Amino acid sequence: MTKEQAISIVTSCAEAYNRELLNKCLLFVISDKHKRISVMETRFGAGQFLHLTGLKISDKKLSASRFFKRCLDHELSPDDFEFPSNQTTFLKLEVMPTLICKNLAANSVGTYKGTGLVLHTEKLAGGIRGCIGFVSDAKEKYYIPNTLLKADIRDYIVDSGRILITYRRDISEEKYSEIVYAAKKVDWQSLVLPKEFSYLDLPGVQK
């Protein structure tokens, strides 16, 4: 992969990130193998986009937020970044266009089990083609994205959970209302959400 090809990919993905994820929160409603329901909230800012690309900034004065803006403004230069020596960036960029969307193309969530990869993350959300890693924000209740993998999520997680439904809201909003993913073959009538989120609408369920 050339730098010009990488720029084309990250520019396109930055536009999708800006449109679908920037300054938004996603709420995953998850069912484990015992049918227990839990939730995971994620939040996406401009500064996280760079970490998903896997690129290494050449100029230390170029912040992660500024990198994102250069992508949006179509001003990113080959001199602005380098490819890390571990080669994983090429794999990240191959799958990135699939994952940068309103629901992350995610149907599973789990705790990263710490395989041989040099990877510092806590949770993974995704599917068989790829996944996004998250770390907890110590100041908030949210998880924020910090990496991206071209990998089958099942090979890298423990405590696997099925995503039943994913909601999205703007950071400025207090409550979720938009459904961006709903799993198939779910008995929505019997699903009991955690009390904090009992206000949420479920597909086909009248309140």
Side-chain angles (χ1 to χ4, degrees):
M1 181 181 293
T2 66
K3 283 193 171 184
E4 287 72 18
Q5 289 172 321
I7 288 173
S8 177
I9 292 172
V10 299
T11 297
S12 176
C13 287
E15 292 172 348
Y17 188 94
N18 184 61
R19 181 176 63 251
E20 306 287 4
L21 297 171
L22 181 64
N23 294 328
K24 295 185 183 297
C25 298
L26 294 183
L27 172 71
F28 299 119
V29 178
I30 307 157
S31 175
D32 68 12
K33 62 182 179 181
H34 301 294
K35 307 300 182 183
R36 293 176 299 201
I37 303 300
S38 62
V39 297
M40 174 178 160
E41 285 191 87
T42 63
R43 184 170 61 184
F44 299 81
Q48 279 87 57
F49 179 77
L50 170 62
H51 302 299
L52 301 182
T53 70
L55 298 176
K56 183 179 180 181
I57 296 300
S58 300
D59 184 356
K60 293 183 178 179
K61 295 181 180 179
L62 181 61
S63 67
S65 295
R66 179 59 184 164
F67 173 89
F68 179 61
K69 189 174 188 306
R70 283 196 182 179
C71 290
L72 288 180
D73 293 341
H74 295 263
E75 295 178 350
L76 190 65
S77 163
D79 295 330
D80 289 332
F81 66 92
E82 299 293 338
F83 293 126
S85 59
N86 58 18
Q87 305 296 313
T88 60
T89 296
F90 304 123
L91 298 177
K92 292 176 187 286
L93 295 180
E94 283 180 16
V95 75
M96 193 175 187
T98 301
L99 302 183
I100 303 302
C101 62
K102 61 185 178 182
N103 59 20
L104 311 185
N107 55 35
S108 298
V109 169
T111 301
Y112 175 58
K113 65 181 181 181
T115 64
L117 293 176
V118 181
L119 184 65
H120 302 286
T121 199
E122 298 172 23
K123 299 285 187 179
L124 295 178
I128 61 173
R129 295 187 61 189
C131 46
I132 290 179
F134 294 85
V135 292
S136 57
D137 183 341
K139 298 180 181 179
E140 302 284 351
K141 61 182 178 179
Y142 303 98
Y143 283 87
I144 57 175
N146 77 325
T147 191
L148 184 151
L149 292 174
K150 181 182 180 181
D152 187 333
I153 191 174
R154 296 172 296 183
D155 296 333
Y156 293 93
I157 58 174
V158 293
D159 303 325
S160 175
R162 179 191 183 199
I163 297 175
L164 300 182
I165 192 164
T166 303
Y167 297 90
R168 181 174 66 168
R169 67 171 171 84
D170 290 335
I171 287 178
S172 60
E173 296 174 332
E174 292 185 4
K175 293 184 176 182
Y176 293 92
S177 59
E178 181 187 12
I179 297 173
V180 292
Y181 170 81
K184 297 179 180 179
K185 298 180 179 180
V186 176
D187 182 4
W188 300 111
Q189 294 285 348
S190 64
L191 180 61
V192 178
L193 295 170
K195 185 176 180 180
E196 181 183 358
F197 298 103
S198 60
Y199 69 87
L200 290 168
D201 290 330
L202 294 171
V205 178
Q206 297 293 328
K207 289 191 175 182

